[in-house]
């Protein structure tokens, strides 16, 4: 299993380096796992796997992992299936391994297109690999033949000694690291319930039954979105109530802690801020996974909704008003008998983090990068300047020139808010006979679907480009007011941007038709 771990870490590195490219969408891949296959069910080992949901700027691929016997030259497939967003997989219609240097005799290839990993091309590569191995072995044999009688016993003794010392050190290190992790987790989990699962939706969760639990997990119904570092958002059921479950793996524990701290602040119960229900821990030690349970929003994210739907002026006004109302609540300090709520900067506001309910009311979600401006303790949260989604970063964030003050971070949110309002306006049909406008993300025409940080710096900071506003939008009195508000919120100068309370007053003053 340590071989698989090495390969998976390598694949994670490739995935984090994904760049903009044209891609063919995958829906199905051939699936196979050597560990779960035996002679009795060999004919049923190879199946067709449906790839899971992807984000708006990511793609699915197919992969194959196989082993080469350096002595016989025989190959054996270990695993096949779906793989998420690897730059080395773009524009490959066939699964071909071109790297002659294998890791632990294991080879990997990936490709685009349904079932493209059905046939793997590696014969020529294997032949070249074997020729290189034979040539190297011939040279080594000639050198070793002259000295093997003298050095083999000494080498074996040194190797055994090194092996014993290495195993001892690794064992000591692992015990201490495990204790450190468990200490950190125990501090972070005060008041968090430890749970076992009753769901069969994911095998990883069925392994958490081996320890004592204080509760039962919700029944997982449908995976709605993929998160960072292997996390996910599920539609679930608990006590006959439909809820949303957001899962955080241990590596993303900091985001879970930040979200939990934001949700647990006083006065966070607002109709335009996602409502928190509960928090759970699943698994133990290094296998721990943290869950946040919130209300379920029937229409999903604003981004997904706008991809397939247009909105009327009344619907746009309602959605825009609720977005700005939620953002104003986050930015506001509230002090009363119920406690003190400090100002909060979201720092990753975008259309995928705005959720819609069945009656078209929006609420703001995902506070993993939020900053809490406590009066006594200062700023609480991740204070790195370049965080968030490249497409929605304000000019000062792209330039790394943020003034670390509350007002500066709130102005960054207002820039992102203007882009979300532009997305909403781009899908608004204000009168009969209007041609339906296709949905595009902000700056998609200028930088494409997967912009890099350098792309956005050149577009937004250097060229000072902003999303295009057609003149036809200004022909409608309501959209004209929205356009003026957007332009004032995406101003290059952060101090010139409107505040959330000012935008809320403007939109509130606009009447429905």
């Amino acid at each position: 299993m340590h071989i698989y771990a090495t390969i998976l870490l390598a694949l994670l590195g490739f995935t984090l380096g994904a760049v903009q490219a044209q891609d063919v969408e995958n829906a199905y891949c051939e699936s196979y796992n050597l560990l779960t296959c035996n002679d009795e069910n060999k004919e049923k080992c190879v199946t067709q796997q449906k790839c899971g949901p992807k984000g708006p700027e990511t793609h699915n691929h197919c992969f194959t992992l196989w082993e080469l016997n350096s002595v016989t030259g025989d190959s054996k497939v270990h695993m096949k299936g779906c793989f998420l967003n690897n730059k080395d997989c773009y524009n490959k219609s066939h699964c071909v391994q071109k790297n002659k240097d294998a890791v632990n005799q294991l080879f990997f290839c990936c490709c685009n297109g349904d079932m493209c990993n059905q046939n793997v091309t590696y014969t020529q590569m294997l032949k070249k690999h074997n020729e290189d191995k034979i040539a190297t072995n011939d040279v080594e044999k000639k050198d070793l033949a002259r000295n093997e009688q003298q050095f083999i016993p000494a080498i074996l003794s040194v190797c055994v000694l090194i092996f014993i010392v290495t195993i001892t050190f690794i064992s000591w290190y692992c015990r201490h690291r495990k204790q450190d992790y468990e200490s950190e987790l125990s501090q972070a989990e005060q008041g968090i319930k430890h749970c076992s699962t009753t769901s069969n939706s994911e095998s990883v969760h069925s392994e958490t039954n081996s320890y004592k639990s204080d509760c039962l997990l919700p029944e997982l119904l449908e995976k709605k979105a993929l998160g960072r570092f292997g996390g996910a958002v599920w539609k679930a059921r608990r006590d006959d109530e439909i809820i949303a479950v957001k899962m955080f793996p241990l590596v993303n524990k900091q985001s879970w802690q930040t979200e939990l701290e934001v949700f647990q602040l006083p006065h966070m119960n607002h109709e335009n801020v996602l409502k928190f229900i509960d928090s759970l821990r699943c698994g133990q030690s290094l296998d721990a996974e943290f869950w946040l349970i919130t209300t379920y929003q029937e229409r999903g994210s604003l981004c997904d909704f706008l991809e397939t739907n247009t909105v009327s002026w009344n619907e746009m006004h309602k959605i825009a008003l609720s977005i700005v109302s939620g953002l104003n609540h986050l930015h506001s300090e509230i002090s009363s008998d119920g406690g003190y709520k400090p100002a909060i900067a979201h720092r990753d506001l975008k259309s995928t983090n705005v959720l819609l309910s069945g009656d078209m009311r929006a609420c703001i979600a995902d506070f993993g990068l939020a900053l809490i401006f406590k009066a006594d303790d200062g700023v609480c949260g991740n204070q790195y300047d370049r965080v968030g989604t490249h497409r929605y970063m304000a000019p000062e964030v792209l330039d790394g020139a943020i003034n670390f003050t509350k007002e500066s971070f709130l102005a960054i949110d207002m820039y992102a808010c203007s882009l979300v309002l532009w997305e909403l306006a781009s899908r608004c049909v204000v009168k009969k006979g209007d041609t339906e406008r296709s949905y595009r993300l902000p700056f998609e025409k200028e930088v494409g679907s997967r912009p890099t940080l350098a792309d956005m710096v050149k577009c937004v900071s250097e060229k000072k480009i902003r999303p295009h506003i057609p003149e036809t939008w200004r022909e409608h009195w309501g959209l004209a007011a929205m356009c003026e508000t957007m332009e004032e919120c995406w101003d290059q100068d952060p101090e010139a941007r409107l505040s959330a309370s000012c935008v809320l007053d403007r939109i509130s003053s606009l009447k429905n038709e």
Side-chain angles (χ1 to χ4, degrees):
M1 292 304 292
H2 68 281
I3 296 178
Y4 289 142
T6 304
I7 295 299
L8 292 176
L9 287 174
L11 300 185
L12 177 60
F14 290 147
T15 303
L16 293 175
V19 298
Q20 179 177 347
Q22 296 298 321
D23 201 4
V24 177
E25 296 296 334
N26 280 63
Y28 296 92
C29 295
E30 185 170 281
S31 175
Y32 174 81
N33 191 331
L34 179 64
L35 297 179
T36 59
C37 184
N38 53 54
D39 293 336
E40 296 179 359
N41 65 348
K42 197 167 186 178
E43 296 181 355
K44 299 181 180 179
C45 290
V46 179
T47 61
Q48 185 182 80
Q49 178 185 0
K50 183 176 181 180
C51 297
K54 62 182 183 59
E57 299 183 17
T58 58
H59 290 260
N60 290 316
H61 312 290
C62 299
F63 79 94
T64 300
L65 182 70
W66 74 93
E67 178 184 11
L68 169 68
N69 188 315
S70 59
V71 177
T72 65
D74 294 332
S75 62
K76 179 169 62 176
V77 174
H78 280 235
M79 190 176 295
K80 290 185 176 184
C82 296
F83 189 50
L84 180 63
N85 209 44
N86 187 328
K87 68 177 182 179
D88 290 344
C89 305
Y90 293 143
N91 304 317
K92 289 186 178 180
S93 59
H94 301 286
C95 205
V96 181
Q97 166 61 270
K98 295 184 179 179
N99 181 13
K100 69 178 181 180
D101 297 320
V103 180
N104 295 324
Q105 305 301 323
L106 287 174
F107 295 86
F108 169 81
C109 70
C110 57
C111 56
N112 294 333
D114 287 343
M115 305 297 287
C116 64
N117 63 337
Q118 220 167 3
N119 298 311
V120 181
T121 303
Y122 56 88
T123 304
Q124 294 181 354
M125 184 277 301
L126 293 179
K127 181 179 179 181
K128 175 65 176 175
H129 178 78
N130 287 334
E131 290 175 351
D132 292 344
K133 289 288 288 184
I134 291 172
T136 303
N137 290 339
D138 288 340
V139 175
E140 292 176 350
K141 287 178 181 178
K142 291 178 181 179
D143 294 336
L144 290 174
R146 292 190 295 266
N147 302 308
E148 62 181 1
Q149 296 297 328
Q150 300 176 7
F151 294 105
I152 288 179
I155 292 174
L156 288 176
S157 300
V158 172
C159 288
V160 171
L161 179 61
I162 292 175
F163 177 77
I164 294 174
V165 172
T166 302
I167 293 299
T168 303
F169 173 77
I170 292 175
S171 177
W172 172 85
Y173 179 79
C174 288
R175 284 198 303 269
H176 281 73
R177 286 297 298 160
K178 183 176 181 180
Q179 292 173 0
D180 292 342
Y181 268 115
E182 290 176 345
S183 177
E184 292 178 11
L185 291 175
S186 63
Q187 294 177 8
E189 296 162 18
Q190 295 179 4
I192 304 302
K193 299 176 183 177
H194 291 219
C195 297
S196 62
T197 181
T198 57
S199 172
N200 295 321
S201 299
E202 289 284 311
S203 59
V204 66
H205 302 307
S206 64
E207 297 172 1
T208 61
N209 287 320
S210 60
Y211 63 93
K212 184 178 180 181
S213 69
D214 301 326
C215 64
L216 292 177
L217 294 181
E219 178 187 1
L220 303 180
L221 301 176
E222 180 185 359
K223 185 181 288 187
K224 304 300 292 186
L226 294 175
R228 288 170 288 188
F229 307 109
V233 178
W234 283 79
K235 177 182 179 181
R237 180 188 292 112
R238 187 173 75 169
D239 298 331
D240 296 327
E241 178 186 6
I242 298 299
I243 56 175
V245 175
K246 186 174 183 179
M247 302 175 181
F248 297 80
L250 183 60
V251 69
N252 202 21
K253 182 184 66 175
Q254 181 59 54
S255 294
W256 167 78
Q257 288 178 313
T258 302
E259 285 215 53
L260 187 59
E261 183 166 4
V262 170
F263 279 129
Q264 292 179 337
L265 288 171
H267 304 292
M268 281 299 291
N269 188 14
H270 188 276
E271 64 175 351
N272 301 125
V273 175
L274 185 63
K275 185 178 179 181
F276 170 76
I277 297 176
D278 202 356
S279 58
L280 310 174
R281 170 193 164 178
C282 304
Q284 292 187 12
S285 186
L286 302 182
D287 296 323
E289 186 177 65
F290 302 94
W291 293 15
L292 285 178
I293 298 178
T294 64
T295 53
Y296 179 73
Q297 305 300 307
E298 295 88 341
R299 296 184 184 271
S301 73
L302 178 62
C303 177
D304 291 340
F305 179 80
L306 293 179
E307 278 187 318
T308 55
N309 298 275
T310 58
V311 293
S312 65
W313 162 249
N314 288 346
E315 289 172 330
M316 177 184 172
H317 180 264
K318 184 175 185 178
I319 295 172
L321 185 63
S322 52
I323 292 172
V324 178
S325 178
L327 189 59
N328 180 62
H329 184 75
L330 291 176
H331 287 186
S332 300
E333 293 186 31
I334 302 174
S335 183
S336 68
D337 295 338
Y340 170 71
K341 176 204 158 297
I344 302 167
H346 189 283
R347 295 215 297 171
D348 195 22
L349 185 64
K350 53 186 177 180
S351 56
T352 53
N353 288 338
V354 175
L355 306 179
L356 291 178
S357 63
D359 63 352
M360 300 291 283
R361 292 186 184 276
C363 66
I364 298 176
D366 196 343
F367 303 102
L369 296 176
L371 284 182
I372 303 173
F373 299 95
K374 296 184 177 179
D376 298 329
D377 301 331
V379 177
C380 179
N382 184 336
Q383 298 182 49
Y384 294 116
D385 53 355
R386 281 183 172 175
V387 299
T389 303
H390 293 163
R391 187 183 303 278
Y392 294 84
M393 285 183 176
E396 62 272 23
V397 179
L398 294 169
D399 293 336
I402 301 175
N403 293 322
F404 282 80
T405 63
K406 179 181 73 173
E407 291 72 20
S408 297
F409 284 107
L410 301 188
I412 292 170
D413 279 354
M414 296 314 300
Y415 173 89
C417 180
S418 69
L419 300 185
V420 175
L421 293 178
W422 179 88
E423 289 180 70
L424 192 55
S426 72
R427 296 290 279 163
C428 181
V429 177
V430 294
K431 55 185 177 181
K432 294 181 180 180
D434 276 0
T435 302
E436 182 177 317
R437 308 179 184 102
S438 61
Y439 174 71
R440 281 187 176 180
L441 292 167
F443 304 107
E444 188 170 351
K445 181 179 179 181
E446 292 80 9
V447 297
S449 59
R450 296 185 187 87
T452 63
L453 185 64
D455 292 334
M456 296 308 301
V457 170
K458 184 176 180 180
C459 176
V460 174
S461 296
E462 297 177 5
K463 295 184 177 181
K464 297 180 173 57
I465 295 174
R466 295 296 184 268
H468 174 62
I469 296 179
E471 286 302 318
T472 54
W473 293 12
R474 302 184 191 274
E475 294 175 1
H476 182 270
W477 61 273
L479 276 179
M482 284 288 191
C483 292
E484 182 180 346
T485 301
M486 291 177 217
E487 290 171 328
E488 292 188 60
C489 286
W490 65 37
D491 195 286
Q492 197 80 6
D493 181 4
E495 295 182 0
R497 294 174 198 152
L498 300 178
S499 66
S501 60
C502 181
V503 176
L504 180 60
D505 290 341
R506 283 195 182 186
I507 297 179
S508 298
S509 66
L510 300 177
K511 297 179 180 180
N512 290 338
E513 292 180 326

